[in-house]
Amino acid sequence: MSNSTAQVLMKKGKRGAASYIHADCASGSPQHLGPLLDVLLNPSKAIDEWETIDWCRWLLAGGRTPDEFAAVVRSYDKHDKCGLVWIPRVVAYRCRTCGISPCMSICRDCFHRGDHSTHDFNMFLSQAGGACDCGDNSVMKEDGFCSNHGNKCPRTGAAPAELMCVAEAMMPRLILRLLQHFRENSWGTQTTSDSYRIAVQECEGYVQMLMEFNNMGDLMRSAMTKALINPQMYRNLVEPPFPDTEYGRYMAESSKIYRHLPALAPRLQHNTLLDEFIFWTFKYEFPQNVVCFLLNMLPDQDYKEHLTRTFVMHYARIPLVLESAADPDTLSNRVVHMSVQLFSNEALALRCVQQLHLLHVMVLSLRLMMGRILVRNSLHDPDANLHRVIDCTRRVMKEHCYWPLVSDFNNVLSHKSVALLFLQDDALVDMWFEFLSMLQGMNVNVRETGGHIEFEPSSYYAAFSCELEAAAYPMWSVLGHLSEPAHAPLARRMVAAALAYLRDWLDAVNFTTPHMHRTEAMHASFHFPLHRYLAAFLCAGVRCLGLRAADLLPSQDLLALLAAHPLRVQVHTPTPRSTYTCTYTCVYTRTRTHAYTHTSARIRTLTHVYTYTHKLIQMYTCVLLHCICREI
């Protein structure tokens, strides 16, 4: 019955069938669209079949030509936000005068249409891709909007009710067809990065069609986002009872396959098309075309809220995806391409922290990834050393698989309200220092006295860049928000936590006296983030927040133990100039295009990283001198 109805309609031709379907949908209870879509979107056919895609374009137009329909829909676009999405290696702009978030970026056209001539701006080559924030007052100030977006553009009238009736009826099925393609290609034991890549290439034309629909503006975007975030639409599509037709039987089988995927944990119950869409985005390793499609709809605020919440619910799967990826560097950029757009809105990031425990999820995800590559620390006597530290020779470190996680963490900590919540949560601070302990004393160096080492190991760069991105950046970000005496208790809490974990670390490495044996003096590490945090928050508390060093510092015996390792790096271990130069160049090249950090802050932090063993001693000295002066 369904097939015969569809065949009769298709004999009318694309324009004739589209006019008939439009009249059917305008009546409010379409009877013939479903059977026609069962035939056109039959999962047994290739998803990128040109004839099917062309039929979809004509049906959506409702009797007009696809080009005429697109022009009419665009004429009702409100132009509130730009939302243009670009891929990596595209030139964009960042205006620090107009930006509310440090991740704010705008496209070339919006920059030139706006008035930024006297502003502090820079042009950059996007490393991970991005999306234009022009018109979004949660990310940039309204004064910086271009003439085409925000309140500066003329308002359009209301669109006729029947203009979008076919689009609203078709869109759930169009999106479901793409999800069915992902389901089909995830079944079996031979699913690898290559098989995922092939599956994504096969749907390129179909995704491009959806992108074309989205580019028609607000009206079409609204039809798409309603389909994606409406729970009832999802239930109607994927839950039984299914009709006794070929398509109904396929849906029953497809639902069983999808629900029994091992990667879909029982706690991740999908309630909307968007929920399942994000699941496949993660599983298929963030394909570029799918990421761009999802980001193109961000100007719709309700959709952005749902997308961010769904992304957070799936966030703990990012380490698993990164560790198994064939090309983790490309995957990292695609993850950040998406996450940086979602976490740049302070109000939205704060809600995710409060309601979905975003910071806890991020720190736990980072600990989960690093916890798999721990080895026994070899400082002092390895047999008596119980401390476990990150192995810098592993793939996770050398290929910077952790970078998206720390990038997102730094992004959300750039918001003052989020950073203060982080400092107020004792459990979260405790989790963070547990992670820092994994970096404490990593990449131990053994002095070579019998010959010349021509090349330094690659673990040098891995260790320095990890401490820079995963420990130093968050520290400076949080410190930047401690600006008034009311924040003194937060600094005191961080000092206390650093001291507690340093005591545990000293016990674990069996270091009980500042005097070292000759063999121990031949082993040294450049990486002591717990010392760094103690010194930095001591300085901030004493210099800026009115705390007394005498109230914060531990006993002289413990201070002597704390100073021993940084002093040993300064006194006993010669600095390999070639290693530092090479490491600085590599790290600067990698981080200079990060979307979440100001250039000035990057240079300041990089400079600190490579001289920090000296700075640690200076910080201790400054705090003690300040304390003495206050007492006098």
Side-chain angles (χ1 to χ4, degrees):
M1 181 67 176
S2 297
N3 284 347
S4 62
T5 301
Q7 295 301 326
V8 170
L9 285 173
M10 294 178 75
K11 287 180 181 179
K12 294 178 179 289
K14 295 174 184 175
R15 189 163 193 164
S19 297
Y20 187 88
I21 290 296
H22 181 267
D24 192 31
C25 291
S27 69
S29 56
Q31 301 295 319
H32 305 292
L33 178 62
L36 180 57
L37 292 179
D38 287 350
V39 174
L40 290 175
L41 302 179
N42 189 331
S44 64
K45 298 193 302 184
I47 191 172
D48 62 343
E49 187 178 280
W50 182 89
E51 187 68 11
T52 299
I53 292 174
D54 198 47
W55 263 100
C56 291
R57 291 192 177 107
W58 278 93
L59 284 177
L60 212 69
R64 298 180 175 92
T65 68
D67 290 341
E68 289 171 349
F69 177 71
V72 172
V73 174
R74 287 193 185 99
S75 69
Y76 292 100
D77 192 10
K78 293 184 293 186
H79 299 288
D80 285 342
K81 301 174 184 176
C82 177
L84 176 71
V85 176
W86 57 81
I87 61 176
R89 302 195 63 78
V90 170
V91 173
Y93 291 82
R94 179 169 294 117
C95 180
R96 284 176 283 274
T97 305
C98 297
I100 296 174
S101 165
C103 303
M104 165 268 190
S105 57
I106 51 179
C107 67
R108 186 181 311 187
D109 290 343
C110 288
F111 177 80
H112 290 300
R113 282 195 298 261
D115 183 13
H116 301 276
S117 56
T118 60
H119 293 180
D120 178 14
F121 68 86
N122 69 288
M123 179 175 68
F124 64 96
L125 188 66
S126 179
Q127 177 185 359
C132 183
D133 294 313
C134 187
D136 188 348
N137 57 15
S138 67
V139 180
M140 65 180 294
K141 300 172 186 174
E142 294 186 10
D143 293 344
F145 295 171
C146 77
S147 57
N148 279 11
H149 300 116
N151 296 324
K152 297 180 181 180
C153 59
R155 301 290 92 184
T156 58
E162 69 277 5
L163 178 64
M164 302 301 296
C165 62
V166 179
E168 292 173 353
M170 280 184 63
M171 203 54 67
R173 288 291 303 273
L174 292 177
I175 295 172
L176 178 64
R177 177 65 188 96
L178 183 58
L179 301 185
Q180 290 169 342
H181 175 73
F182 291 146
R183 290 182 183 184
E184 287 290 326
N185 288 277
S186 68
W187 185 245
T189 59
Q190 301 302 318
T191 51
T192 62
S193 292
D194 287 339
S195 62
Y196 290 153
R197 178 178 51 80
I198 294 171
V200 169
Q201 289 174 349
E202 290 174 348
C203 66
E204 183 71 40
Y206 194 87
V207 175
Q208 186 60 40
M209 176 193 72
L210 295 176
M211 294 275 282
E212 290 173 8
F213 294 158
N214 178 75
N215 291 337
M216 293 181 189
D218 292 331
L219 288 179
M220 187 61 72
R221 186 180 299 124
S222 178
M224 300 179 84
T225 57
K226 286 177 182 177
L228 281 164
I229 67 179
N230 189 315
Q232 187 59 50
M233 284 187 182
Y234 186 65
R235 286 194 291 270
N236 293 342
L237 290 170
V238 303
E239 293 185 0
F242 299 111
D244 187 18
T245 62
E246 179 185 356
Y247 180 75
R249 289 187 288 273
Y250 167 82
M251 282 303 300
E253 186 63 26
S254 175
S255 179
K256 292 178 183 177
I257 293 173
Y258 167 57
R259 294 299 174 186
H260 287 84
L261 280 172
L264 187 58
R267 295 185 63 184
L268 269 182
Q269 181 65 42
H270 294 161
N271 299 311
T272 65
L273 285 168
L274 181 60
D275 290 351
E276 187 178 338
F277 214 130
I278 292 297
F279 170 73
W280 295 120
T281 302
F282 276 65
K283 189 169 181 62
Y284 278 75
E285 300 178 357
F286 289 79
Q288 187 73 69
N289 56 353
V290 172
V291 169
C292 289
F293 169 67
L294 292 169
L295 293 181
N296 261 294
M297 292 175 282
L298 285 181
D300 186 311
Q301 193 58 39
D302 287 342
Y303 167 80
K304 184 173 184 178
E305 180 97 21
H306 279 81
L307 177 61
T308 304
R309 295 178 69 88
T310 305
F311 188 85
V312 172
M313 294 300 292
H314 289 75
Y315 196 88
R317 282 164 166 71
I318 291 180
L320 303 176
V321 176
L322 288 167
E323 289 171 3
S324 61
D327 185 1
D329 191 52
T330 299
L331 176 58
S332 295
N333 287 331
R334 291 177 179 174
V335 172
V336 174
H337 185 192
M338 193 167 191
S339 62
V340 74
Q341 312 305 324
L342 306 180
F343 299 141
S344 297
N345 183 318
E346 181 170 2
L348 184 54
L350 181 61
R351 285 198 296 276
C352 288
V353 169
Q354 294 172 327
Q355 299 171 13
L356 303 177
H357 308 290
L358 174 59
L359 287 173
H360 294 77
V361 171
M362 287 180 166
V363 176
L364 285 171
S365 298
L366 193 58
R367 283 177 48 191
L368 175 66
M369 175 179 280
M370 296 305 195
R372 296 193 180 98
I373 58 169
L374 296 181
V375 294
R376 176 170 289 194
N377 190 217
S378 56
L379 273 176
H380 308 299
D381 181 2
D383 295 331
N385 191 333
L386 303 179
H387 180 59
R388 293 179 63 80
V389 68
I390 289 171
D391 183 356
C392 294
T393 65
R394 300 289 289 272
R395 178 175 181 262
V396 169
M397 291 290 286
K398 289 189 173 183
E399 300 195 26
H400 302 90
C401 296
Y402 57 85
W403 174 65
L405 302 176
V406 297
S407 170
D408 292 342
F409 190 61
N410 288 315
N411 189 359
V412 296
L413 287 181
S414 69
H415 306 307
K416 185 173 183 177
S417 58
V418 174
L420 294 180
L421 277 181
F422 169 76
L423 293 173
Q424 293 165 10
D425 190 324
D426 288 334
L428 191 54
V429 169
D430 191 61
M431 288 165 51
W432 180 244
F433 273 95
E434 285 182 12
F435 166 70
L436 293 177
S437 296
M438 297 179 182
L439 311 182
Q440 181 81 357
M442 64 179 170
N443 195 40
V444 172
N445 291 253
V446 180
R447 178 182 289 181
E448 174 60 49
T449 58
H452 174 67
I453 299 178
E454 186 173 357
F455 299 104
E456 301 293 346
S458 59
S459 58
Y460 260 94
Y461 168 54
F464 272 108
S465 59
C466 180
E467 189 181 358
L468 167 69
E469 296 175 347
Y473 276 158
M475 185 191 75
W476 291 119
S477 183
V478 169
L479 279 172
H481 299 301
L482 300 182
S483 56
E484 53 191 71
H487 297 150
L490 303 179
R492 184 188 296 273
R493 177 184 279 114
M494 293 296 284
V495 170
L499 282 172
Y501 274 87
L502 278 166
R503 290 190 185 95
D504 292 344
W505 179 73
L506 291 170
D507 289 341
V509 299
N510 195 33
F511 187 64
T512 58
T513 172
H515 304 292
M516 300 181 187
H517 300 295
R518 177 178 176 81
T519 55
E520 293 179 320
M522 305 296 283
H523 295 71
S525 170
F526 293 101
H527 305 285
F528 300 103
L530 294 178
H531 289 74
R532 180 203 298 278
Y533 271 67
L534 174 62
F537 281 93
L538 271 171
C539 284
V542 173
R543 288 177 171 174
C544 307
L545 305 178
L547 295 175
R548 295 177 65 251
D551 297 334
L552 301 176
L553 292 172
S555 65
Q556 291 185 356
D557 291 342
L558 181 55
L559 273 177
L561 294 178
L562 295 179
H565 289 90
L567 278 172
R568 184 154 58 109
V569 173
Q570 215 173 16
V571 175
H572 292 288
T573 306
T575 301
R577 181 177 298 275
S578 60
T579 299
Y580 268 31
T581 303
C582 176
T583 305
Y584 180 90
T585 303
C586 292
V587 174
Y588 180 72
T589 302
R590 176 174 176 79
T591 58
R592 65 185 302 179
T593 51
H594 282 187
Y596 58 82
T597 313
H598 291 314
T599 302
S600 58
R602 279 198 303 272
I603 295 174
R604 182 181 67 246
T605 307
L606 281 164
T607 303
H608 180 78
V609 165
Y610 295 104
T611 59
Y612 93 96
T613 50
H614 300 273
K615 291 289 185 183
L616 281 172
I617 307 305
Q618 294 173 11
M619 293 172 102
Y620 279 117
T621 305
C622 288
V623 170
L624 291 170
L625 289 176
H626 191 84
C627 178
I628 294 170
C629 292
R630 284 173 63 89
E631 294 302 317
I632 293 176

